[in-house]
Amino acid sequence: MGDTNEPQCYIGFGVGSGIHAPGLRLEFTETLVAAHNSLRAHGLGVSALRASVPNARVGYVLATQLCRPSSERAVDIEAARAATFAVRDRTHWNNTWWTDPVVFGRYPADGLELFGAAMPSFPSSDFRDIQQPLDFLGLNIYRADTYRASEGGPELMPVPPGYPRSGVDWQPITPDAMYYGPRFFQDRYGLDQWITENGLSTRDQIFLDGKVHDPQRIDYLHRCLLELRRALRDGAQVKGYLAWSLLDNFEWADGYKQRFGLVYVDYASQQRVPKDSFHWYQRVIETRGASLAGEFALPITRVTAG
């Protein structure tokens, strides 16, 4: 059983930029109030769930803002870790502002310093509401930024021109997000994890043979699951994985434009057509992952020729 889902999105997009419902554009201080009240609502919701369902498994799901290293050098890995848990700008797109209060009962110091005078004051008793025991963290993982170590601290690397992306511009193909995300979160928070969303948008269609062929989605999920296996072997306590999504559906402000499903939906007729990825993933489940094995022409994380 879950609880809060992607607070960065419904605050950042819902009352910050206004591109998602309810479509408000509040001042930054007001969005911090909304965020704080959301955290309180989460904690009170956890308490209510546990009171009414004693054996409930209660978690907290993040729209993860992940970073991966530019190389396997230890200094680059630590740069990516630091960037993953830093509050770098005056937005809601970070991890610690949303997770430290829930797990540790406090806001991260770098966020408080950065937000400065815009930060509202809240009674310390609020954190007793916010910090409730959790059974797991849910990580929604789609992508990662790339960082390297530099003299000035972690340095963001630009996405190269023409680098492979999904059907949404915000998703470059970075399958090692599925390795470093669970590893970094395990080390910082020490909680069990679920991968509560992972998937790819492609511009699907029904082909002349009556089928829906989506090789990019298969390749992406294949790479991500291999990286998740590596994270498990290296100590990440991931208890489950959920592909996003079973069906094509209504994707926030993009409506029906983006298709993340393993099953194609013809919205006019409501006909469902399982895509190639559906049958591929069915085989992964049936073989308990054994079908993922093989010899590959490229390293798992390399999606370009160079």
Side-chain angles (χ1 to χ4, degrees):
M1 180 181 294
D3 186 44
T4 302
N5 179 67
E6 291 197 341
Q8 300 104 313
C9 288
Y10 62 73
I11 296 295
F13 286 149
V15 300
S17 67
I19 65 173
H20 287 175
L24 303 179
R25 294 187 177 183
L26 304 181
E27 296 295 328
F28 187 62
T29 295
E30 295 177 301
T31 68
L32 291 174
V33 173
H36 185 79
N37 288 334
S38 174
L39 290 169
R40 287 192 67 207
H42 156 78
L44 295 171
V46 171
S47 297
L49 280 170
R50 295 203 185 281
S52 59
V53 188
N55 295 322
R57 300 283 295 170
V58 184
Y60 179 70
V61 179
L62 292 158
T64 56
Q65 310 299 303
L66 299 179
C67 304
R68 63 175 186 159
S70 60
S71 78
E72 292 290 324
R73 297 190 311 155
V75 291
D76 289 330
I77 293 172
E78 290 311 307
R81 183 195 304 273
T84 294
F85 297 118
V87 180
R88 296 185 296 275
D89 47 39
R90 286 164 59 95
T91 73
H92 296 287
W93 301 108
N94 65 75
N95 298 304
T96 53
W97 193 258
W98 301 95
T99 317
D100 281 15
V102 168
V103 179
F104 300 140
R106 63 179 182 271
Y107 284 119
D110 61 345
L112 291 171
E113 181 179 0
L114 179 62
F115 297 163
M119 184 66 194
S121 60
F122 304 111
S124 59
S125 59
D126 283 1
F127 290 96
R128 290 197 292 271
D129 293 334
I130 293 170
Q131 186 186 17
Q132 298 296 324
L134 292 174
D135 297 303
F136 65 91
L137 283 178
L139 307 182
N140 292 353
I141 296 179
Y142 291 93
R143 63 178 299 279
D145 289 324
T146 304
Y147 275 80
R148 71 179 180 187
S150 70
E151 291 184 1
E155 179 185 359
L156 174 64
M157 305 297 292
V159 178
Y163 187 85
R165 297 177 184 267
S166 77
V168 290
D169 286 341
W170 53 261
Q171 190 181 18
I173 307 303
T174 54
D176 46 349
M178 191 61 78
Y179 174 76
Y180 288 105
R183 284 297 314 282
F184 289 164
F185 269 81
Q186 187 71 55
D187 292 344
R188 183 177 181 90
Y189 296 111
L191 291 172
D192 287 348
Q193 301 172 35
W194 275 71
I195 307 304
T196 38
E197 288 185 22
N198 173 238
L200 192 79
S201 170
T202 58
R203 301 301 172 88
D204 299 320
Q205 68 180 65
I206 299 178
F207 284 69
L208 286 172
D209 60 4
K211 299 178 181 179
V212 179
H213 305 295
D214 55 342
Q216 287 91 347
R217 181 175 290 109
I218 292 173
D219 185 73
Y220 172 79
L221 292 175
H222 194 167
R223 292 170 185 262
C224 284
L225 288 172
L226 289 171
E227 286 295 278
L228 179 57
R229 174 181 287 173
R230 183 163 73 107
L232 288 165
R233 289 171 175 168
D234 287 351
Q237 298 299 306
V238 179
K239 303 304 182 181
Y241 169 93
L242 302 171
W244 184 264
S245 57
L246 175 62
L247 302 174
D248 292 333
N249 62 4
F250 190 89
E251 283 290 333
W252 294 79
D254 279 343
Y256 296 112
K257 178 180 178 181
Q258 305 299 341
R259 294 181 179 271
F260 280 87
L262 301 176
V263 175
Y264 181 90
V265 178
D266 183 284
Y267 294 117
S269 68
Q270 289 297 297
Q271 180 185 1
R272 269 74 163 158
V273 180
K275 304 175 188 179
D276 287 353
S277 59
F278 175 93
H279 301 292
W280 173 86
Y281 190 49
Q282 183 179 45
R283 181 63 179 160
V284 172
I285 295 171
E286 289 173 346
T287 65
R288 299 178 64 85
S291 63
L292 296 171
E295 295 185 6
F296 310 111
L298 290 177
I300 295 168
T301 59
R302 201 177 97 199
V303 294
T304 61

